[in-house]
Amino acid sequence: MQTPVHQTPALEVVDPPKLKVEPLEAASSLRMLAYEALKRAITQMDIYGSTTEFRLDERQLSETLGVSRTPIREAMTVLEQEGFVRSVPRRGIFVVRKTKREILDLIVVWAALEAMAARLAATHASDSEIAGLRRLFHEFEAQPLASHMNEYSEANIAFHQAVIRMGGCRLIVDMTENLFLHMRAIRAVSVRQENRHEISMREHMAIIDALETRDPDLAERLVREHTMGLAAHVERHGVFPE
């Protein structure tokens, strides 16, 4: 009598998982490129250096960027949702310029966020990052600031961006991104008024000292006072839309 032979059941062949990828659309890519180009250009504008509103010309932008009007319109929609531009019926699309009251509120919010970033930076930022802050102002220490206002204005703005970034909190970076358009323009105007640039330089150096000594309480307080000093200056001297 033969012993029955047990056969191993055949393994079921299972198709490998498939990665579902939608085709890339050229229009979507153009929209993103148009959005990034427009946002970058708007962020670099001196929107408070003049009392004239700045209207965005869709046809001119289409020609300049070398794309059709469709991605321009789509980019404008996103920029309006983010608060960079506003659409006015029968007039067009304009770069947003905030009122004096709105600017003061914005500065208060920025003061809170940057002060916390400075507190975090005092603990977490690397020595090389902090040294980079001092290098931003090295060339201005041996020469009159008044003769290099454009360069100092850019260094001033880069300083505050760096402090935010050095805090290492991604949410603070994201929250300040859309505020930066206005803060950049406000600082660019105010630093040229009275002796604000000299005050700014002294206060920046004190903030850097606090970061170098790894004193989070002092760094937080100095940044908050520095930014609220800007609010007081705008309150007294700022000429902005009402």
Side-chain angles (χ1 to χ4, degrees):
M1 184 173 180
Q2 292 182 340
T3 303
V5 177
H6 296 283
Q7 295 182 341
T8 302
L11 294 176
E12 182 181 358
V13 177
V14 179
D15 291 334
K18 294 182 179 179
L19 185 65
K20 298 180 68 175
V21 181
E22 297 295 331
L24 295 177
E25 296 180 9
S28 176
S29 176
L30 289 176
R31 177 187 62 194
M32 182 56 65
L33 291 173
Y35 162 78
E36 291 173 349
L38 290 173
K39 185 174 182 178
R40 183 166 55 250
I42 291 171
T43 301
Q44 294 172 353
M45 289 178 62
D46 184 7
I47 60 175
Y48 297 110
S50 168
T51 57
T52 305
E53 289 187 305
F54 190 87
R55 180 177 177 275
L56 297 174
D57 188 316
E58 187 179 288
R59 181 177 60 81
Q60 181 182 5
L61 288 171
S62 174
E63 293 175 355
T64 301
L65 294 175
V67 297
S68 70
R69 294 193 183 188
T70 299
I72 298 293
R73 292 193 191 103
E74 292 172 342
M76 295 285 200
T77 298
V78 178
L79 289 168
E80 184 165 19
Q81 291 171 349
E82 294 183 345
F84 286 93
V85 303
R86 60 186 174 89
S87 178
V88 180
R90 296 182 296 279
R91 289 189 59 205
I93 297 179
F94 296 82
V95 175
V96 168
R97 298 170 74 245
K98 294 190 177 294
T99 66
K100 187 173 184 178
R101 182 66 265 164
E102 288 172 332
I103 287 170
L104 291 171
D105 288 346
L106 184 153
I107 294 173
V108 170
V109 172
W110 186 281
L113 293 172
E114 189 181 356
M116 178 52 69
R119 182 178 190 86
L120 296 172
T123 304
H124 302 300
S126 67
D127 291 342
S128 62
E129 287 178 314
I130 297 172
L133 291 179
R134 195 172 290 282
R135 285 195 298 272
L136 281 173
F137 301 107
H138 180 71
E139 64 180 289
F140 305 110
E141 292 180 315
Q143 51 189 308
L145 288 179
S147 60
H148 299 276
M149 287 306 303
N150 288 337
E151 293 87 346
Y152 179 75
S153 179
E154 290 302 316
N156 175 36
I157 291 160
F159 172 85
H160 292 285
Q161 282 186 298
V163 171
I164 292 286
R165 188 171 58 252
M166 287 163 52
C169 178
R170 184 69 246 177
L171 184 56
I172 292 180
V173 174
D174 292 343
M175 291 174 69
T176 55
E177 182 179 357
N178 289 354
L179 302 178
F180 179 67
L181 163 66
H182 303 283
M183 286 301 296
R184 182 186 188 283
I186 293 162
R187 291 188 185 280
V189 171
S190 64
V191 79
R192 292 173 169 81
Q193 296 171 332
E194 293 190 330
N195 64 336
R196 181 72 193 165
H197 56 283
E198 296 178 0
I199 296 171
S200 170
M201 181 71 166
R202 290 198 302 270
E203 292 178 351
H204 285 163
M205 292 301 104
I207 291 167
I208 294 171
D209 289 342
L211 292 172
E212 286 178 337
T213 58
R214 304 293 181 173
D215 188 332
D217 292 335
L218 182 59
E220 179 180 15
R221 178 173 63 81
L222 290 177
V223 167
R224 183 171 55 250
E225 290 176 352
H226 173 69
T227 305
M228 292 309 295
L230 174 62
H233 179 87
V234 168
E235 183 73 74
R236 292 192 306 269
H237 305 290
V239 180
F240 298 102
E242 296 297 341

